[in-house]
């Protein structure tokens, strides 16, 4: 199973539309957002994904009522971190802030955002991944990720 990973979109709709196209073209089976969506219209744009969307809320997701209404409208699954998932025989945890990962050592795949910096780490044989900049704040550094849960390989889709 290949999953798309996106983080910190911060309501930058031109990039969100590009992200939808990239992940749909990649043929991912599920997409994870690691937080900082910021506004419901971002979720409305992400409704163009062909794969189901799961995710967590970040520290800038303060418009919760509107976000939760959009999540319900589109049938997405979001939670306050940590979000625990079991896909393709792998145990995953999704958080926004990487400082929240310490208590989840039994997890094979840890996904986070918050820093806007790419992270592909393999402590103790597990994968810790942040696709980095997705919001357009750092032109030339925008990317989303694709994680293959069978091999724990990571592919960056830059835009």
């Amino acid at each position: 199973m290949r999953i798309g990973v996106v983080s910190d979109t911060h309501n930058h709709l031109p990039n969100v539309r590009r992200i939808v196209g990239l992940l749909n073209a990649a043929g991912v089976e599920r997409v994870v957002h690691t937080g900082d969506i910021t506004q419901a219209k971002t979720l409305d744009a992400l409704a163009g994904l062909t794969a189901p969307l799961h995710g967590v809320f970040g520290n800038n997701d303060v418009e919760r009522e509107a976000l939760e209404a959009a999540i319900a409208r589109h049938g997405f699954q979001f939670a306050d971190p940590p979000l625990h998932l079991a896909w393709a025989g792998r145990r995953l945890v999704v958080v926004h802030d990487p400082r929240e990962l310490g208590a989840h050592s039994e997890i094979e795949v840890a996904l986070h955002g918050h820093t806007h910096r790419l992270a592909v780490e393999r402590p103790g044989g597990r994968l810790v991944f942040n696709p980095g900049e997705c919001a357009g704040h750092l032109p030339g550094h925008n990317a989303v990720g694709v994680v293959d849960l069978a091999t724990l390989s990571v592919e960056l889709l830059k835009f």
Side-chain angles (χ1 to χ4, degrees), residues 13 55 144 147 157:
L13 292 177
V144 293
V147 175
L157 304 177

Side-chain angles (χ1 to χ4, degrees), residues 132-151:
E133 175 65 21
C134 299
H137 297 302
L138 301 170
H141 297 279
N142 295 299
V144 293
V146 175
V147 175
D148 186 320
L149 293 179
T151 63

Side-chain angles (χ1 to χ4, degrees), residues 16 20 24 41-51 53 70 74 76:
V16 173
V20 167
N24 285 347
K41 59 186 172 182
T42 299
L43 292 169
D44 293 337
L46 289 169
L49 290 165
T50 56
L53 179 64
H74 298 298
F76 299 152

Side-chain angles (χ1 to χ4, degrees), residues 33-91:
H33 196 302
T34 64
D36 279 0
I37 305 142
T38 67
Q39 293 184 354
K41 59 186 172 182
T42 299
L43 292 169
D44 293 337
L46 289 169
L49 290 165
T50 56
L53 179 64
H54 305 260
V56 296
F57 297 105
N59 60 298
N60 287 300
D61 293 327
V62 295
E63 297 182 14
R64 286 294 287 271
E65 188 174 317
L67 289 171
E68 289 173 354
I71 288 163
R73 185 169 56 251
H74 298 298
F76 299 152
Q77 178 191 358
F78 273 73
D80 287 313
L83 173 62
H84 291 271
L85 302 166
W87 292 340
R90 299 280 190 184
R91 293 167 298 176

Side-chain angles (χ1 to χ4, degrees), residues 24 33 37 52 58 79 82 90 93 101-102 109 118 120-121 123 146 158:
N24 285 347
H33 196 302
I37 305 142
R90 299 280 190 184
V93 68
L101 289 174
V109 179
L118 172 65
V120 182
E121 302 165 354
V146 175
K158 296 184 178 185

